[in-house]
């Protein structure tokens, strides 16, 4: 893990306590991809012994937040990233360790150009949740925005 990966994970754990509560492990955090793992923890199991749906939602949303911070961290002085909406589909039974892999749905330069033009850009982040055997157990899309810090935007 690089210092940047650790700093994004540390930043999320500090600013979003739920990420720390679930002991999420930030494996990769770049502007192109974020990979976050949820360890197998009985305290967060559901009625069939796998990770609870809420824990998987938090895992996927945290992966989306990690890629947003990696991609747009240099814009935090002038805009705050906010999740606008999220949609999740649970596809297969998740058991054991699960991993969320997030990818940005728009080029960073296009989003920043809209921010430069005084707009409030929106961009999707797609997340796949997988078991250790590689099976996709869930898919999530989070629509994010960069809200400019100046009033009225």
């Amino acid at each position: 893990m690089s210092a940047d990966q650790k700093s994004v994970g540390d930043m999320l754990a500090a600013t979003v306590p739920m990420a720390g509560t679930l002991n999420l492990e930030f494996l990769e955090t770049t502007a192109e991809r974020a990979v976050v793992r949820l360890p197998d923890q009985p305290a967060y199991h559901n009625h069939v012994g796998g990770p609870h749906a809420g824990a998987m939602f938090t895992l996927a949303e945290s992966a989306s937040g990690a890629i947003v911070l990696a991609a747009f961290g240099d814009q935090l002085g002038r805009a705050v990233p906010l999740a606008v909406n999220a949609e999740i589909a649970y596809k297969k039974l998740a058991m054991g360790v699960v991993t969320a892999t997030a990818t940005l749905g728009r080029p960073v330069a296009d989003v920043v150009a809209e921010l430069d033009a005084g707009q409030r850009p929106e961009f999707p982040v797609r997340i796949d949740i997988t078991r250790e055997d590689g099976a996709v157990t869930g898919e999530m899309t989070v629509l994010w925005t960069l809200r400019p810090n100046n009033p009225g935007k």
Side-chain angles (χ1 to χ4, degrees):
M1 177 184 300
S2 74
D4 286 343
Q5 289 170 320
K6 183 154 178 52
S7 64
V8 168
D10 289 345
M11 180 186 294
L12 277 170
T15 59
V16 183
M18 189 62 168
T21 297
L22 289 177
N23 301 307
L24 299 181
E25 301 167 359
F26 293 84
L27 306 178
E28 179 182 340
T29 52
T30 68
E32 292 77 37
R33 190 170 105 131
V35 181
V36 182
R37 180 172 44 214
L38 173 64
D40 186 21
Q41 303 168 87
Y44 303 115
H45 282 177
N46 58 21
H47 63 290
V48 294
H52 188 276
M56 290 194 302
F57 183 98
T58 301
L59 167 69
E61 198 276 340
S62 296
S64 78
I67 199 170
V68 168
L69 285 176
F72 303 108
D74 60 340
Q75 303 300 318
L76 294 180
R78 65 181 186 141
V80 61
L82 297 170
V84 175
N85 67 42
E87 184 173 309
I88 192 165
Y90 300 101
K91 301 289 191 178
K92 291 184 179 182
L93 185 61
M95 298 296 282
V97 174
V98 288
T99 302
T101 302
T103 55
L104 203 56
R106 290 185 59 202
V108 172
D110 292 355
V111 174
V112 173
E114 286 183 18
L115 188 61
D116 290 342
Q119 299 173 359
R120 182 175 170 164
E122 291 187 349
F123 51 94
V125 175
R126 179 176 163 75
I127 308 100
D128 286 331
I129 305 168
T130 56
R131 297 186 305 227
E132 286 188 299
D133 67 2
V136 175
T137 63
E139 298 171 341
M140 184 172 180
T141 300
V142 179
L143 183 65
W144 285 84
T145 188
L146 294 179
R147 187 191 72 200
N149 289 338
N150 48 352
K153 297 286 180 181

